[in-house]
Amino acid sequence: MASNHHQNGDTTTLHLSKKPKLSSAFITDAEIQSEFSHHDPAVARLNNGAFGCCPASVIAVQRDWQLKNLRQPDHFYFNELKNGLLRSRTIIKDLVNAEHVDEISIVDNASTATAIVLQQAAWCFHEGTFQKGDVVLMLHYAYGAVKKAIDAYVARAGGTVIEVPLPFPVKSNDDIIREFRSAVERGKARGNRIRLAVIDHVTSMPSVVIPVKELVTICREEGVDQIFVDAAHAIGCTHVDMQEIGADFYTSNLHKWFFCPPSVAFLYARGSSKSRDLHHPVVSHEYGNGLAVESSWIGNRDYSAQLVVPAVVEFVNRFEGGIEGIKKRNHESVVEMGEMLVSAWGTHFGSPSEMSASMVMVGLPPCLGIATDSDALKLRTHLRDHFGVEVPLYFRPPKEEEAECVTGYARISHQVYNKVEDYYKFRDAINQLVLDGFTCAVLST
């Protein structure tokens, strides 16, 4: 029997404005720096894409939620938690243009959302809805944890996994669309059904904005059963609209580019028969009451990161243009800083600027001798430990015919707290290494 507190998905108790009023007095530079004064001032933090950031005003609200729970847990559980989560889900629903709040579930992170979707696929293989050898498509540059989840849930259950090879550097959306069409043809060549396509919206490493609407359209035309968009970086970083994209499932973290504390994400499941058998992998009292309700209670834990979404909206609306203005300025700034760096080093971007959002891939000088993934990781550590620069690096193996080519790229991010001096510090660090005759071979000794 369902528990008597299963109405966490009740949508009748709250009525929120779809367009919160923006502040009449916009936030100042000094106030921005105060909001992020807890960041280490000795580090040029160019890696917002990995862990995100949370302003002090939102951290204070999170602490208030934590104390409400600790002060009187029963009152918090019965009188505060349900409405608080519904308020957050309603805001997310409006942000991403979902049709109904019940299509929005709040989970810990995009990895949890991925497990929910792939768990359903695994059950379909085990129960005979899908046949052995049926296909799951994923991009070659899918996030590493997603690849492992596909192996754990789908390949182990008998599915065939086909990777879509993607060029890098990439020159246009057409390159990606062409490779995706070819992979779909391969998936159907032996008469197997393509049961699931896992498509990134913004790839992690290398970072590229994928033409997700076009790939979803191809899937629909070719009869792909289900489409899951892994958009861990998307909300607060690029345009997100469930009606425009048209996927069955879509997830994005709110702690990367939407200023929530770690960790919180949403999973959108379009209202259809395909979403009815989605379940949270942590089974608790709400099992069977729908994914949104199941996810709202997975046992006694800290739900505060999920409850601060209204405070985040208040924060972003202190900026001119709200979150849309932030996205626009972050994109313009990261492109400008990227252009400064490639000009200083005589290199190039990993993709056209229009295929980036708040992160760009910047080529590093070939003379650094980045020849392996290990070299890239060791150089990243060297920059952190000796220069106070935090930036992820990517190794791109050279092709046979290439000589003296760029093999190393930095993924630089821009968020509201970044200053031009952060990027100058990175530029000067690399210039110093080049001047010193440094190569990654030194780090292997």
Side-chain angles (χ1 to χ4, degrees):
M1 179 180 294
S3 58
N4 61 6
H5 55 274
H6 70 276
Q7 295 301 316
N8 292 27
D10 182 359
T11 63
T12 62
T13 57
L14 294 174
H15 301 280
L16 302 178
S17 171
K18 289 188 176 182
K19 294 185 178 180
K21 185 177 179 180
L22 301 182
S23 172
S24 58
F26 298 125
I27 192 170
T28 66
D29 288 342
E31 288 171 330
I32 293 172
Q33 295 309 311
S34 177
E35 285 278 12
F36 296 98
S37 60
H38 51 280
H39 287 187
D40 186 344
V43 176
R45 186 167 166 157
L46 307 183
N47 190 25
N48 191 83
F51 297 104
C53 62
C54 186
S57 57
V58 174
I59 294 173
V61 173
Q62 180 187 28
R63 183 60 175 161
D64 287 343
W65 278 113
Q66 290 170 331
L67 289 175
K68 284 182 180 180
N69 181 25
L70 295 172
R71 185 179 297 117
Q72 222 292 41
D74 293 87
H75 176 81
F76 173 79
Y77 174 73
F78 286 106
N79 300 102
E80 302 271 7
L81 182 60
K82 178 179 73 172
N83 284 340
L85 291 174
L86 177 57
R87 186 175 294 110
S88 292
R89 288 172 51 219
T90 302
I91 290 171
I92 296 166
K93 173 255 181 188
D94 291 338
L95 281 170
V96 304
N97 194 25
E99 286 190 359
H100 197 276
V101 69
D102 285 345
E103 295 177 323
I104 302 295
S105 302
I106 299 181
V107 295
D108 280 347
N109 48 45
S111 296
T112 302
T114 298
I116 290 169
V117 174
L118 295 180
Q119 175 181 250
Q120 182 202 48
W123 288 338
C124 287
F125 278 106
H126 287 305
E127 295 169 359
T129 306
F130 297 170
Q131 304 303 311
K132 299 285 186 181
D134 281 352
V135 173
V136 171
L137 283 180
M138 69 175 178
L139 305 187
H140 175 65
Y141 293 126
Y143 189 54
V146 173
K147 286 188 172 185
K148 290 189 175 182
I150 290 173
D151 184 59
Y153 284 101
V154 176
R156 186 173 179 180
T160 297
V161 180
I162 293 181
E163 288 194 18
V164 182
L166 296 180
F168 187 80
V170 60
K171 296 180 180 178
S172 70
N173 283 333
D174 290 342
D175 293 345
I176 297 172
I177 293 169
R178 181 172 55 253
E179 291 290 353
F180 191 82
R181 283 192 181 277
S182 177
V184 170
E185 292 173 2
R186 292 200 309 276
K188 298 171 66 177
R190 297 180 181 177
N192 294 113
R193 295 278 298 275
I194 301 178
R195 296 297 188 172
L196 177 67
V198 181
I199 303 171
D200 298 71
H201 196 162
V202 182
T203 57
S204 177
M205 188 66 93
S207 180
V208 178
V209 177
I210 299 297
V212 63
K213 289 187 290 185
E214 290 82 353
L215 301 193
V216 170
T217 298
I218 292 171
C219 289
R220 297 299 183 205
E221 293 172 349
E222 297 295 333
V224 175
D225 280 14
Q226 298 180 337
I227 305 162
F228 170 46
V229 177
D230 172 21
H233 287 274
I235 192 167
C237 182
T238 193
H239 181 61
V240 176
D241 187 309
M242 296 302 96
Q243 305 309 309
E244 290 182 9
I245 293 170
D248 298 295
F249 314 117
Y250 186 105
T251 186
S252 187
N253 291 314
L254 282 82
H255 56 262
K256 285 185 179 287
W257 292 99
F258 198 65
F259 301 103
C260 284
S263 60
V264 55
F266 75 89
L267 172 59
Y268 162 84
R270 190 172 62 163
S272 71
S273 59
K274 296 176 182 178
S275 65
R276 293 173 191 161
D277 203 28
L278 291 176
H279 295 283
H280 198 286
V282 177
V283 176
S284 192
H285 295 287
E286 298 290 5
Y287 182 83
N289 290 326
L291 179 63
V293 179
E294 287 184 20
S295 300
S296 71
W297 183 258
I298 55 171
N300 190 16
R301 63 190 295 272
D302 184 0
Y303 291 90
S304 61
Q306 303 180 7
L307 294 165
V308 300
V309 176
V312 172
V313 172
E314 290 184 12
F315 173 74
V316 300
N317 285 339
R318 294 167 64 189
F319 291 79
E320 183 177 2
I323 193 61
E324 295 301 320
I326 291 171
K327 287 189 294 188
K328 180 176 183 294
R329 289 186 293 274
N330 279 342
H331 172 71
E332 292 171 348
S333 295
V334 80
V335 170
E336 180 183 359
M337 292 299 95
E339 288 174 342
M340 179 271 294
L341 293 173
V342 298
S343 176
W345 300 331
T347 59
H348 54 260
F349 281 175
S351 67
S353 60
E354 61 269 21
M355 295 182 70
S356 66
S358 301
M359 302 180 288
V360 296
M361 300 298 294
V362 176
L364 294 168
C367 63
L368 294 175
I370 301 172
T372 64
D373 290 325
S374 178
D375 284 346
L377 182 58
K378 289 177 181 178
L379 178 55
R380 175 181 178 177
T381 302
H382 188 73
L383 288 168
R384 179 193 306 124
D385 293 346
H386 295 275
F387 294 94
V389 174
E390 188 61 68
V391 62
L393 305 182
Y394 173 72
F395 167 62
R396 180 259 188 188
K399 298 178 181 178
E400 290 184 5
E401 66 275 13
E402 292 178 328
E404 291 299 314
C405 64
V406 173
T407 58
Y409 290 81
R411 187 191 75 187
I412 62 169
S413 299
H414 190 281
Q415 187 50 287
V416 297
Y417 58 80
N418 282 120
K419 298 176 288 187
V420 66
E421 290 79 12
D422 297 330
Y423 304 90
Y424 290 162
K425 188 175 184 178
F426 181 32
R427 176 198 63 191
D428 295 345
I430 294 298
N431 285 347
Q432 186 63 53
L433 291 175
V434 172
L435 183 64
D436 293 343
F438 169 92
T439 71
C440 286
V442 174
L443 301 178
S444 300
T445 59

